[in-house]
């Protein structure tokens, strides 16, 4: 009888562990899913930065004789470069999240990503 109870207890413990792992996997999947729009938004920002750089180079290279147009083109080009850099930094931070870490560590990493996203928005969005 004692062996039967032990087997039953072991079986219940395994089921509990499996259910707990499923819950953790579900939560991590939800967190990853919530970061997906941010990820694709940053990819779009990189593409936008590339378009801005191409446009700026085309603009100032066609107006080499007019200094203020060259200066404007260079400033817009710098804006495009900053746009790409900030999006790249945000993407790098998103990709470095260790989902196997403790929950508190993941939450602090997500807070860092949120701060980077806000800084990105201020540096790129306000001048625009």
């Amino acid at each position: 009888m004692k062996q039967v109870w032990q087997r039953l207890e072991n079986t219940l413990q395994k089921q509990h562990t499996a259910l707990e792992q499923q819950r953790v996997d579900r939560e991590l999947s939800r967190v990853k899913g919530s970061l997906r729009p941010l990820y694709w938004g940053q990819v779009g920002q990189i593409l936008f930065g590339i378009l801005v750089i191409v446009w700026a180079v085309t603009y100032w290279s066609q107006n080499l004789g007019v200094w203020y147009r060259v200066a404007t083109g260079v400033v817009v080009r710098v804006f495009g470069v900053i746009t790409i850099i900030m999006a790249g930094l945000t993407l790098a931070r998103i990709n470095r999240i260790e989902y196997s870490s403790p929950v508190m560590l993941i939450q602090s990493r997500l807070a860092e990503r949120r701060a980077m996203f806000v800084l990105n928005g201020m540096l790129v969005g306000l001048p625009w």
Side-chain angles (χ1 to χ4, degrees):
M1 188 73 146
K2 198 175 198 180
Q3 290 176 348
V4 171
W5 278 109
Q6 269 186 334
R7 273 189 271 152
L8 182 60
E9 186 176 315
N10 288 340
T11 304
L12 287 174
Q13 182 62 33
K14 287 178 186 177
Q15 286 178 343
H16 175 72
T17 304
L19 287 173
E20 184 65 25
Q21 185 61 42
Q22 285 178 347
R23 186 189 66 77
V24 168
D25 291 344
R26 235 183 356 260
E27 289 296 318
L28 289 177
S29 176
R30 188 180 62 81
V31 169
K32 289 177 185 178
S34 69
L35 288 174
R36 200 168 293 124
L38 175 62
Y39 178 86
W40 287 110
Q42 298 308 300
V43 170
Q45 183 174 323
I46 289 172
L47 295 174
F48 174 74
I50 291 170
L51 288 174
V52 167
I53 290 171
V54 168
W55 177 80
V57 169
T58 303
Y59 178 76
W60 68 262
S61 66
Q62 292 175 353
N63 295 296
L64 289 176
V66 186
W67 71 269
Y68 58 87
R69 288 185 179 174
V70 171
T72 302
V74 169
V75 168
V76 172
R77 182 176 179 214
V78 168
F79 171 76
V81 169
I82 290 172
T83 300
I84 292 171
I85 289 171
M86 292 306 295
L89 288 173
T90 303
L91 283 174
R93 288 178 184 250
I94 290 171
N95 289 331
R96 279 188 281 176
I97 295 175
E98 297 269 341
Y99 293 103
S100 60
S101 301
V103 174
M104 293 299 290
L105 185 60
I106 292 173
Q107 287 176 340
S108 69
R109 301 284 174 161
L110 289 173
E112 290 173 7
R113 278 31 170 209
R114 192 174 303 117
M116 175 60 80
F117 180 70
V118 169
L119 177 65
N120 183 355
M122 288 190 308
L123 287 176
V124 174
L126 288 178
W128 183 254

